Amino acid sequence: MTGSDHDSLAGGLAALAVDAPAGLLDRVVARWVRVDAPIGAVYVASTDHGVAYLRTGTGEEEFVGAFRRRFGRPLLPADRPPAGLIPALRTGRRADLRLDLRGLSSFESDVLHAAMTIPRGEMRPYSWVAREIGRPRAVRAVGTALGNNPVPLLIPCHRVIRADGAIGQYVFGARAKETLLRAEDVNLEEVGDLAARNVHFVASDTTGVVCLPTCRDARRITTAHRRDFAVMSRAVAAGYRPCEHCRPAALS
């Protein structure tokens, strides 16, 4: 928001015949802050409904301009970050942090809500997201929706990868995606090695459960009791049941 925009808005409110209702300004404008995140400084915009936009950038003007082009709403500096933002960026867990996802299509909203269910330290293929939302053929559209994520880091689209085990694209670049995944203790080398051997599902012959490789339950399987599968149907045919945590049946 330019200085003249700010002055015009403030002047308009000051010219009201009666005092403006409490909180009126925050229902008209959004607020921005610059805070530190695992990939460096980020700019974050919030409305009275919650955090609406998060981006890296070279400065305030770039961020403010991008926000106004996307949302068509004035943006003013905030006195402090929204409650819960700093812990959410540090831990990857949103807790009580509110998000403002208005303006998304129903498909985009479904995709992002599916991405929200992926736990810290785990990854899911784009095709998993597509099947989770009941649109198994919309894999490419899922990628587009994730690329349009208004609040990366807070909605963990970095945890969605390609079916071949490659980490794939990311709004902040592949290097940032790798940094985030490694910070969550994802063993990218192991995932890559398994994918190179056409292993996309791992099962335990002690529990009879088959998982995706980064599932928290898969990481408990010892080498002696692990059985590898290229496709889910073969694991099911061998008598293994899908993990209820990572839900690999979404890929069958």
Side-chain angles (χ1 to χ4, degrees):
M1 186 174 188
T2 66
S4 59
D5 290 335
H6 185 187
D7 292 343
S8 297
L9 183 60
L13 291 174
L16 291 173
V18 296
D19 290 339
L24 174 61
L25 183 60
D26 286 326
R27 292 198 293 271
V28 176
V29 305
R31 303 282 187 170
W32 72 269
V33 292
R34 181 179 182 271
V35 295
D36 290 330
I39 56 173
V42 296
Y43 292 85
V44 181
S46 302
T47 70
D48 55 328
H49 284 73
V51 176
Y53 197 52
L54 184 154
R55 286 295 184 270
T56 59
T58 57
E60 171 190 343
E61 290 187 5
E62 177 183 321
F63 178 73
V64 170
F67 179 86
R68 293 203 67 173
R69 286 191 297 273
R70 179 161 179 166
F71 296 95
R73 189 168 181 174
L75 195 58
L76 295 176
D79 294 332
R80 63 183 65 85
L85 174 62
I86 301 302
L89 290 172
R90 184 175 65 249
T91 67
R93 300 180 178 90
R94 291 183 311 281
D96 296 327
L97 180 68
R98 295 186 304 147
L99 301 178
D100 183 356
L101 301 180
R102 294 174 299 170
L104 296 177
S105 69
S106 60
F107 177 83
E108 289 172 328
S109 180
D110 288 346
V111 168
L112 295 184
H113 279 89
M116 288 185 199
T117 69
I118 305 172
R120 180 180 175 85
E122 300 187 25
M123 301 189 300
R124 304 286 188 267
Y126 292 97
S127 53
W128 180 92
V129 175
R131 286 190 176 271
E132 280 283 302
I133 65 172
R135 301 284 296 277
R137 297 184 180 180
V139 176
R140 187 179 297 274
V142 163
T144 300
L146 291 171
N148 197 43
N149 180 2
V151 285
L153 305 184
L154 302 176
I155 295 179
C157 54
H158 64 277
R159 297 176 191 159
V160 184
I161 64 170
R162 287 172 24 181
D164 63 2
I167 64 173
Q169 297 181 344
Y170 186 52
V171 63
F172 298 144
R175 181 171 296 181
K177 188 171 187 177
E178 179 177 342
T179 297
L180 290 167
L181 292 171
R182 290 191 185 281
E184 297 180 2
D185 295 324
V186 176
N187 189 335
L188 293 175
E189 284 74 25
E190 181 181 46
V191 171
D193 176 67
L194 289 172
R197 294 190 285 111
N198 199 28
V199 174
H200 302 291
F201 303 90
V202 294
S204 166
D205 64 9
T206 57
T207 65
V209 172
V210 58
C211 303
L212 293 168
T214 62
C215 175
R216 66 189 184 195
D217 295 330
R219 293 199 294 268
R220 300 190 184 104
I221 305 173
T222 63
T223 302
H225 292 282
R226 195 181 78 187
R227 301 294 177 264
D228 298 338
F229 295 93
V231 295
M232 184 65 187
S233 58
R234 292 182 182 176
V236 173
Y240 293 96
R241 65 184 185 278
C243 173
E244 294 181 356
H245 173 70
C246 67
R247 299 185 298 281
L251 300 173
S252 60

